[in-house]
């Protein structure tokens, strides 16, 4: 099963992808995490991506698509995967669709996690992430048991440099201009299911799991 989680910055894509990935036993493929990992390794890809990420802009499609297609060619994606943060433009969606069709596969469902803008700002300003395993925490809604340490692996928590107010506003602008057209794109393909992302983390996960059931809701 190939599943796409769509939503604005801070909508909870990473949080939900981790839950769904564990429940369905499918790998979690997060384009942002792959770029941040490349940056940590100081690779050419990472340094290139940095110049876009720090401004809140999208990394160009050809670079992003190549990185993702390479990642999903690994054997752990043979039975499918959960895409988080990809695709983000119609061009990326078309490239992914074509690559999957060539392998006799397809995107099975696209889950749109809908959250109001004011809530997104609150979520991103309070977010902390594990440097080792990328698990997200929030100072109010999901604090770690030990401040500054990841519950799962004990790694150090940090705040993303693109979670500043100014960059978040730019990321939201980019999302509305370049990513929201994907809602109609996947609606036309009869693959879009919308969930209410304002509810608590577990309640959102339940809506997603229900939408993924055979015959689950489609918009
Ligand atoms: P990326 O890393 O993908 O960031 P994003 O899409 O902006 O999304 P976020 O990771 O900020 O939010 P999320 O929806 O995953 O929320 P989370 O679960 O963490 O991209 C970063 C950059 O990389 C881009 O700007 C771009 O430059 C580049 N890039 C990446 N992909 C690209 C692509 N395809 N093409 C081109 N460029 C690309 O949750 C947020 C917070 O809320 C957390 O603290 C969490 O604990 C909390 N929370 C989650 N759910 C709930 C809930 N239900 N209730 C209360 N709190 C909640």
């Amino acid at each position: 099963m190939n599943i796409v989680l769509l939503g604005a910055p801070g909508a909870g894509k990473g949080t939900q992808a981790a839950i769904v990935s564990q429940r369905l036993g499918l790998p979690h493929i997060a384009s942002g995490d792959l770029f941040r990992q490349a940056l940590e390794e100081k690779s050419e890809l990472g340094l290139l991506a940095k110049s876009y990420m720090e401004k809140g802009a999208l990394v160009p499609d050809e670079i992003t698509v190549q990185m993702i297609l390479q990642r999903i060619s690994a054997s752990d994606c043979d039975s499918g995967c959960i895409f988080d943060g990809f695709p983000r433009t119609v061009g990326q969606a078309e490239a992914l669709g074509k690559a999957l069709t060539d392998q006799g596969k397809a995107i099975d469902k696209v889950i749109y996690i809908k959250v109001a803008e004011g809530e997104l700002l609150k979520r991103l300003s309070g977010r902390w992430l594990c440097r080792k395993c990328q698990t997200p925490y929030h100072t109010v809604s999901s604090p770690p048991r030990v401040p500054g340490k990841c519950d799962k692996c004990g790694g150090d928590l940090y705040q993303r440099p693109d979670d500043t107010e100014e960059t978040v506003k730019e990321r939201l602008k980019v999302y509305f201009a370049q990513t929201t057209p994907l809602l109609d794109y996947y609606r036309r393909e009869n693959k879009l299911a919308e969930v209410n992302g304002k509810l608590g983390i577990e309640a959102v996960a339940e809506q997603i799991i229900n939408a993924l059931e055979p015959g689950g809701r489609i918009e």
Side-chain angles (χ1 to χ4, degrees), residues 10 13-15 31 36 57 59 85 88 92 127 137 141 171 199:
K13 302 181 295 297
T15 302
S31 42
R36 281 182 289 276
V59 180
R88 243 166 153 107
Q92 292 180 12
R127 170 166 64 181
Y137 294 88
S141 61
R171 285 162 59 201
L199 304 178

Side-chain angles (χ1 to χ4, degrees), residues 1 3 6 8 14 25 31 52 57 65 69 79 81 87 92 96 100 107 114 116 119 133 148 186 196 206 208:
M1 207 180 192
I3 299 156
L6 255 185
S31 42
Y52 296 94
V65 167
L69 295 189
S79 306
C81 61
Q92 292 180 12
L96 176 64
L100 291 174
I107 293 294
K114 190 175 180 186
E119 172 72 12
C133 72
Y186 284 120
N196 178 359
E206 282 317 307
I208 296 177

Side-chain angles (χ1 to χ4, degrees), residues 37-76:
Q37 188 189 331
L39 182 56
E40 193 90 1
E41 290 161 1
K42 298 192 170 47
S43 69
E44 203 181 319
L45 170 69
L47 295 173
L48 180 68
K50 180 176 188 259
S51 59
Y52 296 94
M53 292 169 86
E54 62 193 10
K55 286 188 289 213
L58 293 185
V59 180
D61 280 359
E62 56 277 18
I63 298 168
T64 308
V65 167
Q66 195 190 6
M67 173 183 78
I68 292 290
L69 295 189
Q70 192 183 348
R71 174 64 188 88
I72 64 172
S73 67
S75 59
D76 64 332

Side-chain angles (χ1 to χ4, degrees), residues 10-11 18 22 24 41 49 64 70 74 76-77 81 90 122 133 135 158 175-176 179 181 186 189 197 208-209:
Q22 205 178 23
L24 302 185
E41 290 161 1
T64 308
Q70 192 183 348
D76 64 332
C77 296
C81 61
V90 171
K122 273 193 246 163
C133 72
T135 298
Y158 78 107
Y175 167 76
F176 288 115
T179 305
Y186 284 120
E189 292 201 344
I208 296 177
I209 297 293

